[in-house]
Amino acid sequence: MSDHRVTSALRRLLELLADGAGAEEIGQAVAEARAGGAPAHELAEIDEAGWLALRVQRTLRQHRRREAELTALFDTASDLAALRDLDAVLRSIVRRARLLLGTDTAYLTLPDERAGDTYMRVTDGSVAPLFQALRVPLGKGLGGLVAQTARPYATPDYRTDERFRHTTAIDTGVGDEGLVAILGVPLLLGSSSQDGGKVIGVLFAADRTARTFSPDEVALLCSLAAHAAIAIDTAHALADTRAALAELAEANGVIREHAAAVQRAEEAHDRLTDLVLRGGATADVAAAVAELLGAPIAVHDPSGHRIAHAGHGPQPAPAAVTAAAADSRATGRATPLGPHWVCAALAGPELLGSLVLLDHPRLEDPDRRLFERAGVVTALLLLLRRTVAETENRIRGELLTELLTAPDRDPAGLVDRGRRLGTDLDRPQLLLVAQCRGETRAKLSAAGLQHLFGRGGISAEHGDTEVLLLPYGTTGPAEAARTAAAQLAQLTGAPVTVAAAGPAAGPAALAAAHAQAVRCLRAMHVLGRTGEGSAASELGFLGVLLGDGHEVGGFVRGVLGPLLDYDARRGTDLVGTLRAYFACGANLTRAKEELHIHVNTVVQRLDRIESILGPDWSSPDRALELQLALRLQLLTSDQ
């Protein structure tokens, strides 16, 4: 029986060793065996077996640690052999140092020769931003001692160690991280400083509690530091080699680029000269320059809007193009605009437009001169195009004047003349009337031409206004008026009021639309909306009175729509309550008698009306619109 107890204890110890158990579990197994009431000689055997098991456990643990260390060193050597990313290799070395030494953190510092100090290149396990951004003067702190002596140093308690020079900045950073025990080893090129070696950095492992580092741990960290030094030195050598190769390639490239620039300049001169002689379009210039410079090109009008392009690229904002074109006009050279270049197209001092080279941040002098020559050619073509457009528009202006003054004289003849000029009067058109005051009136006609440039349509001076006829597309009259007001104001340098009507088709309808737009323009001045763009549909009840169609239903819907929808969904009569409230002179007592409900119910309904229409529903202007809409609703419902 006694032999059985000893055998069971030995079997249990062997099972624990096979499972990789720790010293605590082995000690517990020995204690359990001793508690079985065995004789003294058996207890001695069990104790000796436990002691031997602990020795085996320690030996196995040392073998596993050394195996892990060797594996880490082999892995680091593999990283060095690849060395595609120095930062990744250094991070891997620091992380392995922390894991193998079992420390709370590990970090690597390198000298900054320009700043005259050292900085944190890599950290692992650090939680304090102040520590991660720490810069240490040369010769200060534990790292300074390691770098000066080229020997490893370890301190079980950094705060009380006087072997190195403390500074407030270092102590604050170390304290913020909570570090106590620190081991630092040098990154050496060469076996030692006496043999001509050079310290190029320091590798640290640190704990947040007091600790003594063993010689094996110091040796392991030195091995990892040697690998880090090799990685840094190899990376520097590779960088130097790449730099030398880059310089050679750059010199060769300059020679090739110069030859290519000469050839490209000759080709550009021939192509641009041919474009001028043929009277090519701005799109032809854009295509030719895009091909020569190998980047997208856009042609913009004076307001910065694109009128032609070749290729696709990110488009700068019109305002930015306008500002850059002004700089180019002032300097006489192409101007950078972020990753783009802008060259003004000038006719004397007048800006006709601009040429924009897209997404091409680097423009060498030969290409810049080519780009600027293209700007001159663009100016010539824009000037020619504008001259032709002015001549055509003068003829179209005569047509427009006759259309507005005598639409019934010869409607078929007007339509036929319009078709010969490229304007189909039988198709829906928007009619805009623009007006400005003072000396800028003389600029409005030219501004109207530029606004129509590239859009089609015709314009003419009529009385003290400028009338523009635009083909109707997806843009409504109000939006077209606002766009025109903004661009015409920019072109004339003064506020321009624009009223729009339409769409309308046919001479008679267009003449009626003009009359409506003129009435709308006068109403805008009365309402204090000078310098804006609008249409009758946006003038509330005035729009109902001014519009030829008297769009009563649309006005009623626009004013009472939210209440009508609420009543339809909930089966209420908020519209009737509002009508009774206004009919009783906004008197709650009279309104409740008219509606045969309690005064509190009237108040609750009016609160609901306020939540639907907004808090200003009872203001004079809104109240007038609401009362007019309520009356018109009664009229239309009786029809």
Side-chain angles (χ1 to χ4, degrees), residues 322-370:
T322 301
D327 293 341
S328 176
R329 177 172 61 177
T331 61
R333 299 296 308 275
T335 300
L337 175 62
H340 319 299
W341 285 82
V342 179
C343 182
L346 302 172
E350 183 183 1
L351 179 66
L352 300 177
S354 57
L355 198 63
V356 182
L357 179 63
L358 299 171
D359 200 19
H360 196 81
R362 184 176 179 180
L363 191 62
E364 302 294 343
D365 283 342
D367 288 343
R368 187 173 180 180
R369 288 192 293 270
L370 187 157

Side-chain angles (χ1 to χ4, degrees), residues 414-576:
L414 291 174
V415 172
D416 184 58
R417 286 167 57 189
R419 285 177 180 153
R420 288 201 300 269
L421 293 173
T423 299
D424 189 350
L425 300 180
D426 280 338
R427 296 181 67 84
Q429 307 281 334
L430 294 180
L431 194 139
L432 281 63
V433 178
Q435 188 178 54
C436 62
R437 305 293 186 184
E439 299 177 355
T440 56
R441 175 67 190 88
K443 300 180 181 178
L444 190 55
S445 295
L449 284 175
Q450 291 190 49
H451 179 68
L452 294 176
F453 195 58
R455 291 183 171 91
I458 56 179
S459 67
E461 186 176 344
H462 191 73
D464 63 343
T465 65
E466 186 74 17
V467 179
L468 296 85
L469 198 64
L470 286 169
Y472 175 64
T474 58
T475 303
E479 182 63 28
R482 281 190 288 271
T483 301
Q487 187 173 13
L488 293 176
Q490 182 180 9
L491 293 172
T492 60
V496 178
T497 309
V498 180
L510 289 170
H514 172 257
Q516 179 182 342
V518 170
R519 292 195 299 271
C520 180
L521 184 68
R522 291 172 183 166
M524 290 175 66
H525 288 305
V526 172
L527 294 173
R529 296 183 61 177
T530 301
E532 300 181 18
S534 188
S537 60
E538 292 189 336
L539 299 184
F541 70 89
L542 283 178
V544 177
L545 300 177
L546 296 173
D548 287 337
H550 299 300
E551 185 57 39
V552 174
F555 172 72
V556 172
R557 184 68 191 172
V559 176
L560 298 178
L563 290 181
L564 294 170
D565 292 341
Y566 186 90
D567 285 345
R569 289 196 309 270
R570 303 294 183 90
T572 56
D573 189 21
L574 294 182
V575 173

Side-chain angles (χ1 to χ4, degrees), residues 2-20:
S2 61
D3 291 341
H4 177 70
R5 279 197 296 269
V6 173
T7 303
S8 297
L10 291 175
R11 184 182 298 110
R12 176 59 180 157
L13 291 175
L14 289 174
E15 289 174 350
L16 290 174
L17 289 175
D19 293 339

Side-chain angles (χ1 to χ4, degrees), residues 377-424:
V377 173
T378 302
L380 289 173
L381 295 179
L382 287 174
L383 184 61
L384 176 62
R385 181 177 174 182
R386 192 180 71 178
T387 302
V388 172
E390 288 175 349
T391 303
E392 292 178 349
N393 201 68
R394 186 163 51 249
I395 299 173
R396 291 173 178 171
E398 295 172 357
L399 169 66
L400 186 57
T401 301
E402 187 173 343
L403 175 68
L404 299 179
T405 55
D408 299 326
R409 182 181 303 168
D410 183 12
L414 291 174
V415 172
D416 184 58
R417 286 167 57 189
R419 285 177 180 153
R420 288 201 300 269
L421 293 173
T423 299
D424 189 350

